[in-house]
Amino acid sequence: MKTTYKNVFKQGPISSEFIGASIAKHQSKTGIGAHNIFLGQVRADEIDGKAVAAIEYTAYEEMANKKFHDIRETTFEKFNLTCMHIYHSLGTVKTGEICLFVFVSSPRRKDVFKALEYVVEAIKKEAPVFGKEIFEDQSHQWKVNS
Amino acid sequence: MKTTYKNVFKQGPISSEFIGASIAKHQSKTGIGAHNIFLGQVRADEIDGKAVAAIEYTAYEEMANKKFHDIRETTFEKFNLTCMHIYHSLGTVKTGEICLFVFVSSPRRKDVFKALEYVVEAIKKEAPVFGKEIFEDQSHQWKVNS
Amino acid sequence: MHIEIKYFGMLAEVTGCSSEILELSVTPVSGLKEFLFKKHPGLQQKDFRIAQNQELVSEETMLTGQEIAILPPFAGG
Amino acid sequence: MHIEIKYFGMLAEVTGCSSEILELSVTPVSGLKEFLFKKHPGLQQKDFRIAQNQELVSEETMLTGQEIAILPPFAGG
């Protein structure tokens, strides 16, 4: 029997409108006092004189969604959060576009700072997501998280 | 001679559209790899059986804008940031609406986490901003930061 | 000398005004506080800090004639 | 037993496929690695981890017949 986990992935970049709409949705939750949002943006790194133009994301999706689920559970156990959302891009995300959106909310600010950093670090370390850095000349190299 | 500092205050709540548009503006800055955003939202706290309906913000504006300026300068000295924006509401902000928007961006994530928490704590501690919690029955009490 | 005193938040409620011009002799901040406690006795029960020319000052700081602000606890964010 | 092996990212480039079904005897992960190094010599120079049934496993873990994934360094975010 296979458990199905919430799908964290979105095809292509995460738009600023989507992020704005996500913030607006929380205005009915009047127990919230503090939101903290992390956005990962694709950087035009220069490597050996060639600039990155885009990252093409792939993932071992079933395992990644399970990991995202586990990270959520652990984060809710560790910190006093009202809610939490994670979205990660798949496919091509150009430089300047957003590929990761993590959103945590709590009655109080102390919790959101610790929780957000915890979640982002866990994603970088544990989620089987792979990034192909595409250069302007269409050559590529594989990204590795530091 | 009086120095004039950037005005951080906005009349009324900070809208999710404004926040979304502010994120969109950063997509041309392709040296950025990480954004971190803090949003303060007015909480419907219940005090002696009465729920907060809104907070009415006032400030010693000249001093507050100078403090916000000082906080910006210190933060840029301490952390490797590409840019930083602070907006704070004046006037009435209803529960569920946003009264504080702090936005920091950097090439790398480690810097944004530390910088954002530093800025928010400094604002809470150093900015002469005052909040009148208005209850549903129109009575009020004065908010104090913890 | 003439000094403008500004009151904010709950302190403007206590004094019934948001600013006033006072005639004061050269004195440290402690002297100003004594003066204000007589004029606005309600201030005695209140927690506040004093800024001169937009910087927080201590009891020993001398008044310079620049703008004074009487500030209740901060509640930004 | 038949086991599905999935390859991701740069490892799919090295093996030239994103998945394949292999006929393997019951063996620990270390045995699987030896087998894969013979079949795809390019893997020997690569840094990777192995997941069985979507959980990372060590060299000593026994194969169970469930899905195996060969994972290059993670690069999410």
Side-chain angles (χ1 to χ4, degrees), chain D residues 49-75:
Chain D
R49 285 181 288 176
I50 296 180
Q52 175 166 256
N53 194 29
Q54 301 169 25
E55 288 294 340
L56 294 177
V57 290
S58 67
E59 299 272 317
E60 296 75 35
T61 308
M62 295 302 290
L63 298 190
T64 59
Q66 292 166 300
E67 179 179 283
I68 293 287
I70 314 293
L71 304 169
F74 298 173

Side-chain angles (χ1 to χ4, degrees), chain A residues 18-56:
Chain A
F18 179 82
I19 297 161
S22 185
I23 293 166
K25 274 188 207 154
H26 288 75
Q27 306 214 327
S28 58
K29 301 201 177 182
T30 56
I32 293 173
H35 301 290
N36 200 354
I37 292 171
F38 179 85
L39 303 173
Q41 185 168 298
V42 174
R43 216 171 41 225
D45 276 352
E46 204 158 303
I47 299 157
D48 299 333
K50 298 191 293 185
V52 171
I55 295 182
E56 206 180 289

Side-chain angles (χ1 to χ4, degrees), chain B residues 119-131:
Chain B
V119 173
V120 173
E121 294 303 325
I123 290 171
K124 297 262 177 189
K125 196 161 153 255
E126 297 170 25
V129 175
F130 315 106

